[in-house]
């Protein structure tokens, strides 16, 4: 059974199909959540909330081909809601080595501390673009934002990130 058939069955209420779809995407959801909270327990809580929200609303999904985008959007919203609820400052310092360019642990910490200083929208857009390798159009769809706005957020976010990194170097 292909992916779209599974999604359509899940939309029609087949719990086993939904479980298979989540199984395919669980690692992706976890990585995204961990990037926001930098804590395994908190990331698992976000994954759990993401799966729950997706399960109770999968019947509302109108186009099966957008399941992965829809699920990612739910995950991003759950992570942001979680942060707001917990009122945490998040600094991402750990990522899976195979997924990203190899740098020393210290360099990663500096980068993610600078990323953590950005506003939520900039941080989300930059994470989706550079950590999840999403296209600008995909990000715009995920966030219900015009493509031109996403481009502006990326540009301003990268500028802020450079400033944050520059300030860090001056302090050392």
């Amino acid at each position: 059974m292909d992916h779209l058939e599974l999604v359509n069955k899940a939309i029609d209420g087949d719990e086993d199909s939904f479980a298979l779809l989540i199984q395919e995407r669980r690692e992706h959801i976890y990585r995204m959540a961990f990037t926001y909270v930098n804590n395994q327990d908190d990331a698992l809580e976000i994954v759990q909330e993401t799966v729950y929200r997706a399960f109770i609303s999968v019947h509302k999904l109108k186009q099966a081909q957008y399941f992965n985008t829809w699920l990612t959007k739910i995950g991003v919203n759950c992570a942001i809601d979680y942060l707001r609820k917990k009122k945490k400052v998040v600094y991402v310092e750990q990522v899976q080595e195979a997924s990203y360019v190899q740098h020393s642990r210290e360099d990663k910490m500096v980068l993610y501390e600078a990323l953590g200083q950005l506003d939520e929208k900039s941080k989300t857009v930059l994470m989706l673009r550079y950590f999840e390798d999403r296209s600008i159009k995909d990000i715009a769809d995920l966030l219900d934002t015009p493509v031109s706005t996403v481009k502006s957020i990326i540009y301003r976010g990268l500028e802020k990130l450079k400033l944050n990194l520059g300030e860090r170097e001056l302090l050392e």
Side-chain angles (χ1 to χ4, degrees), residues 12-158:
D12 291 338
D14 184 4
E15 293 178 13
D16 292 335
S17 295
F18 181 81
L20 286 171
L21 290 166
I22 294 301
Q23 186 73 16
E24 289 175 0
R25 302 293 294 167
R26 73 172 185 219
E27 187 114 1
H28 168 79
I29 298 166
Y30 176 81
R31 273 196 326 261
M32 183 274 310
F34 190 87
T35 303
Y36 274 90
V37 294
N38 195 32
N39 176 295
Q40 183 177 7
D41 293 335
D42 293 345
L44 290 172
E45 194 170 322
I46 291 168
V47 170
Q48 184 176 3
E49 180 66 17
T50 301
V51 171
Y52 170 73
R53 287 186 191 179
F55 182 74
I56 62 171
S57 61
V58 70
H59 66 280
K60 296 177 185 176
L61 183 62
K62 296 192 182 354
Q63 295 179 312
Q65 69 267 28
Y66 295 119
F67 177 82
N68 291 339
T69 300
W70 173 79
L71 187 61
T72 300
K73 184 174 184 175
I74 292 172
V76 166
N77 289 334
C78 285
I80 290 170
D81 290 348
Y82 185 85
L83 291 175
R84 285 183 185 143
K85 185 174 81 178
K86 294 290 186 176
K87 295 180 181 170
K88 286 186 175 181
V89 176
V90 178
Y91 296 101
V92 180
E93 67 181 64
Q94 183 180 6
V95 292
Q96 291 183 333
E97 297 297 326
S99 301
Y100 305 103
V101 177
Q102 299 292 321
H103 292 290
S104 73
R105 185 173 178 89
E106 186 176 310
D107 288 345
K108 286 180 187 174
M109 286 174 48
V110 168
L111 175 62
Y112 297 121
E113 284 177 6
L115 185 62
Q117 294 173 7
L118 298 177
D119 61 277
E120 279 182 12
K121 190 82 148 182
S122 297
K123 181 178 173 182
T124 298
V125 169
L126 291 177
M127 286 173 36
L128 289 169
R129 181 72 176 134
Y130 297 106
F131 292 87
E132 298 292 329
D133 200 28
R134 298 286 185 145
S135 70
I136 292 172
K137 169 115 176 65
D138 194 18
I139 296 167
D141 291 343
L142 270 170
L143 301 177
D144 293 323
T145 306
V147 169
S148 59
T149 302
V150 170
K151 289 178 182 178
S152 295
I153 292 169
I154 289 171
Y155 177 77
R156 285 192 315 270
L158 288 173

